[in-house]
Amino acid sequence: QVQLVESGGGLVQPGGSLRLSCVASGSIFSINVMGWYRQAPGKQREFVAAITNGGRTNYAESLKGRFTISGDNAKNTVYLQMNSLKPEDSAVYYCNADITTPTDFRASRYWGQGIQVTVSS
């Protein structure tokens, strides 16, 4: 079994910052990519950012410059630093990871339960 657990969400005022964390645990052989998506009420889930185990990053164009993704391979952890937050950044943020397990050595995508981020004054 593989689990992804997010933390660090909450309520923040416009212009503020939050740092999300996501830890992968369980039966893991390797993690190829970790990333973040978000889903606001009434909207589809959208890509936020991703990072490979080699450190290559990719961002949603609209979020470049405000959001920064980083990872710690030794801790199976990915972070999302969110700065200059706007009310429209309010959403449930989901961590995901492409993980190879030692049971079949095939990569599958796993998701966390999601964590609420609310940007409001």
Side-chain angles (χ1 to χ4, degrees):
Q1 277 293 71
V2 172
Q3 282 191 317
L4 299 180
V5 179
E6 302 102 335
S7 61
L11 174 65
V12 63
Q13 291 188 341
S17 298
L18 277 179
R19 188 192 193 207
L20 304 183
S21 300
C22 173
V23 180
S25 64
S27 183
I28 297 171
F29 176 75
S30 66
I31 299 178
N32 307 314
V33 181
M34 296 188 79
W36 295 91
Y37 280 69
R38 69 183 184 183
Q39 187 168 20
K43 295 187 176 182
Q44 290 189 332
R45 191 174 296 191
E46 64 175 356
F47 171 75
V48 174
I51 185 169
T52 68
N53 57 8
R56 182 174 296 180
T57 59
N58 188 28
Y59 294 91
E61 195 65 32
S62 61
L63 300 177
K64 285 182 178 178
R66 294 195 300 121
F67 287 17
T68 302
I69 191 169
S70 60
D72 186 332
N73 293 339
K75 296 181 179 180
N76 291 340
T77 300
V78 64
Y79 307 96
L80 184 68
Q81 178 68 42
M82 304 184 293
N83 298 328
S84 302
L85 283 163
K86 305 174 182 180
E88 51 264 42
D89 293 319
S90 298
V92 177
Y93 283 71
Y94 295 91
C95 172
N96 74 341
D98 292 345
I99 295 174
T100 299
T101 62
T103 53
D104 57 10
F105 294 98
R106 294 176 63 181
S108 298
R109 176 157 291 186
Y110 295 85
W111 292 86
Q113 291 296 310
I115 191 164
Q116 180 69 48
V117 170
T118 302
V119 185
S120 176
S121 55

